[in-house]
């Protein structure tokens, strides 16, 4: 059905009185790969005198036409376009269109490649700057959120209670099973560890204290915050990010509304309420996990477990844990929302910023928790 | 114009739940013609296009392309047939993780079995052909303006040298100069390559300057599909409003050089 294309160089027909470049067959995409090297080889040795014979040309598409344009060059093409008995008017128009397009459009010069060492330094510099910019942006956004918060707090009419309730359900209520299950398991694991290590000192009874201390002060709030960073910060970024990509944020602004008030505050408030409640669930469920292990492997019945709790553990440990919850909640929500606002246009950008939101919020949570632990230990609280 | 129909739509029905979009719809696309499809918003122009290219299984009726029913073909034969389509989606649908050049080169590498180098070289030609500046090839779709995305998407649609080109509102969002150049490019390609074009548009200037036939979609069917002057004279309230409203008159005047007939 299709005829193989050919390109006969003038040299092959040199015996004729006049050198002719014979072009024939189907010059189509299917033969592009085959023709390309021939065209490249012949183009350089073609002199201006050669006459072009296109009488056997079969099918021609834009790929083939592009090759012809490259082979013949603009000058000869103009000649052909003006007077070529072998070409139909439509084909001449095609050749001319492509010739025109390619003449206007020289391949751009590529940027010069730098040295490897220079690239490394440039990269380090860029990364450092990025961290600094992230920090500045985060602090700025926190300020913006707080100032909007203050202005809204005084006017109860502008409280978005419906949005708050919806987010509270998503971030709080829906997270209860996963938080409870995971902290129960970690509580059991900590109790096992305690039982194993403390048994060597004949102090396995202190497993109770270990579980209670760790969950009240650290694990309850830390595990919940990390879970929320993965579950909620990412959701906030994706929600706000896809609104940004869809120009909805711009629409909110041009309607004279504040995106911070409409989108950020309900989310921040929801997490501020949800995270302490979930932290409480996590503490109970972690200690319960520890109690189950104690009852099953250490022969410490539940009643005894509770009695030790009441005797040994002060209320201040519970308060230390609970006080960290709103701080973590605020940071997680703000980072999630901020990353959402940083999304630019594409779906890929939504994905990138979602990842970034999770990484940043987990980082911030653990960093703050470590600083708090140091501080509280020095203070003896 | 040869009388061979390469797309035949017969008795097509499309419904979304209780909402009926098409009912007993019939339409032909002939080889080498540009068929303009017009209709009010919500008359199912894009749904018709999606049904023909096989993205949507119709609720009733039959669609044959090159004499074959796309939905009943095996995967491989269907893929072979689909390579003869070039589709320009309303919003471009460029792959956002690839540059413009890679977008165009992708089908060339996958289907035409070109090396990456050759594919990018050919892709550069297509970029130039649709009127994009040469530095646009190395940009990502999000860095382009709406009109440039349209052109880049056209370049990708033309990559595999299709037999049928489906264009969904190609000139919407283009400036008048760009739109005119677009019309001219499609015209040149149709003449030189024998391309058949299925063109969904609201652009009256495109209808007048480019289309061989116009199909009017209304009341769940194709009301009329014929030459533009025949369609414009059809006695139907919507068609009269469309072609003889203020914008229709202006476009007629621009195309024929004489004041509109009404």
């Amino acid at each position: 059905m299709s005829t193989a294309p050919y390109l006969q160089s003038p040299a092959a027909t040199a015996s004729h009185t006049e050198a002719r470049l014979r072009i024939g067959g189907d010059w189509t995409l299917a033969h592009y790969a085959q023709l390309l090297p021939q065209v490249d080889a012949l183009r350089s040795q073609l002199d201006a005198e050669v006459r072009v014979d296109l009488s056997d040309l079969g099918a021609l598409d834009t790929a083939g036409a592009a090759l012809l344009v490259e082979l013949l060059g603009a000058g000869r093409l103009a000649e052909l376009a003006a007077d070529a008995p072998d070409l139909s008017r439509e084909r001449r128009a095609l050749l001319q269109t492509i010739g025109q397009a390619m003449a206007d459009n020289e391949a751009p010069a590529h940027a010069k490649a730098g040295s490897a060492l220079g690239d490394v330094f440039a990269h380090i510099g860029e990364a450092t700057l990025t961290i600094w910019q992230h920090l500045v942006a985060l602090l700025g956004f926190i300020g913006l959120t707080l100032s909007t918060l203050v202005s809204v707090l005084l006017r109860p009419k502008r409280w978005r209670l419906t949005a708050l309730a919806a987010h509270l359900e998503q971030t709080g209520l829906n997270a209860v099973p996963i938080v409870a299950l995971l902290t129960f398991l970690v509580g059991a694991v900590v109790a096992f560890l305690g039982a194993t290590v403390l048994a060597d000192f004949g102090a396995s009874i202190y497993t109770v204290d270990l579980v209670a201390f760790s969950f009240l002060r650290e694990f309850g709030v830390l595990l919940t915050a990390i879970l929320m960073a993965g579950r909620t910060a990412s959701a906030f970024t994706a929600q706000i990010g896809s609104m940004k990509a869809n120009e909805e944020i711009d629409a909110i602004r041009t309607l004279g509304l504040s995106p911070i008030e409409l989108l950020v505050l309900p989310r921040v408030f929801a997490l501020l309420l949800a995270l302490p409640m979930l932290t409480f669930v996590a503490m109970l469920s972690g200690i319960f996990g520890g109690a189950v292990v104690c009852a099953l492997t250490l022969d410490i019945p539940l009643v005894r477990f509770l009695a030790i709790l009441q005797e040994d553990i002060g209320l201040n440990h519970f308060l230390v844990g609970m006080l960290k919850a709103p701080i973590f909640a605020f940071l997680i929500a703000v980072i999630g929302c901020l990353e959402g606002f940083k999304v630019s246009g594409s779906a890929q950008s939504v994905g990138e910023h979602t990842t970034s939101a999770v990484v940043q919020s987990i980082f911030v949570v653990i960093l703050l928790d470590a600083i708090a632990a140091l501080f509280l230990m020095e203070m003896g609280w | 114009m040869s009388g061979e129909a390469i797309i035949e739509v017969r008795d097509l029905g499309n419904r979304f739940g209780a909402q009926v979009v098409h009912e007993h719809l019939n339409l032909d696309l002939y080889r080498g013609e540009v068929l303009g499809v017009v209709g009010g918003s919500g008359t199912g122009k894009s749904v018709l296009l999606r049904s023909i290219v096989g993205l949507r299984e119709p609720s009733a009726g039959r669609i044959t392309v090159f004499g074959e029913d796309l939905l009943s073909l095996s995967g491989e034969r269907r893929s072979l047939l689909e390579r003869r389509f070039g589709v320009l989606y309303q919003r471009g649908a460029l792959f956002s993780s690839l540059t413009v050049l890679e977008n165009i080169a992708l089908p060339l590498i996958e289907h035409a079995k070109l090396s990456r180098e050759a594919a990018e070289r050919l892709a550069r030609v297509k970029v130039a052909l649709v009127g994009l500046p040469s530095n646009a090839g190395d940009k990502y779709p999000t860095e382009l303006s709406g009109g440039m995305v349209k052109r880049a998407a056209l370049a990708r649609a033309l990559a595999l040298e299709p037999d049928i080109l489906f264009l969904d509102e190609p000139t919407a969002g283009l400036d008048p100069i760009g739109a005119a150049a677009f019309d001219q490019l499609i015209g040149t390609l149709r003449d030189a390559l024998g391309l058949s074009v299925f063109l969904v548009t609201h652009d009256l200037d495109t209808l007048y300057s480019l289309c061989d036939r116009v199909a009017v979609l209304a009341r769940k069917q194709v009301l009329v599909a014929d030459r533009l002057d025949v369609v414009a004279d059809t006695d139907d309230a919507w068609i009269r409003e469309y072609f003889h409203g203020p914008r229709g008159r202006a476009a007629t005047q621009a195309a024929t050089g004489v004041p509109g007939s009404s």
Side-chain angles (χ1 to χ4, degrees), chain A residues 27-113:
Chain A
W27 282 58
T28 54
L29 180 60
H31 301 117
Y32 188 83
Q34 175 196 344
L35 282 168
L36 189 60
Q38 296 184 39
V39 166
D40 277 343
L42 230 136
R43 185 171 42 172
S44 51
Q45 46 181 280
L46 219 56
D47 58 46
E49 300 303 311
V50 172
R51 284 197 40 84
V52 181
D53 181 359
L54 291 168
S55 53
D56 282 343
L57 191 61
L60 178 74
D61 60 13
T62 50
L67 277 180
L68 279 184
V69 170
E70 280 190 32
L71 175 67
L72 301 177
R76 214 181 325 249
L77 200 77
E79 221 172 277
L80 271 180
D83 168 44
D86 315 328
L87 282 178
S88 63
R89 189 181 57 81
E90 291 83 9
R91 281 192 174 167
R92 265 182 274 165
L94 178 70
L95 280 177
Q96 209 162 17
T97 307
I98 291 184
Q100 196 87 54
M102 287 171 73
D104 296 347
N105 205 323
E106 294 301 315
H110 279 281
K112 216 175 74 190

Side-chain angles (χ1 to χ4, degrees), chain A residues 96-156:
Chain A
Q96 209 162 17
T97 307
I98 291 184
Q100 196 87 54
M102 287 171 73
D104 296 347
N105 205 323
E106 294 301 315
H110 279 281
K112 216 175 74 190
S115 71
L117 194 65
D119 281 355
V120 169
F121 281 130
H123 202 76
I124 292 173
E126 262 170 39
T128 315
L129 273 181
T130 309
I131 292 175
W132 175 245
Q133 283 159 359
H134 272 239
L135 193 65
V136 170
L138 183 61
L139 291 176
F141 193 68
I142 289 175
L144 201 58
T145 309
L146 287 178
S147 69
T148 317
L149 182 94
V150 170
S151 75
V152 170
L153 265 187
L154 301 176
R155 275 166 283 186

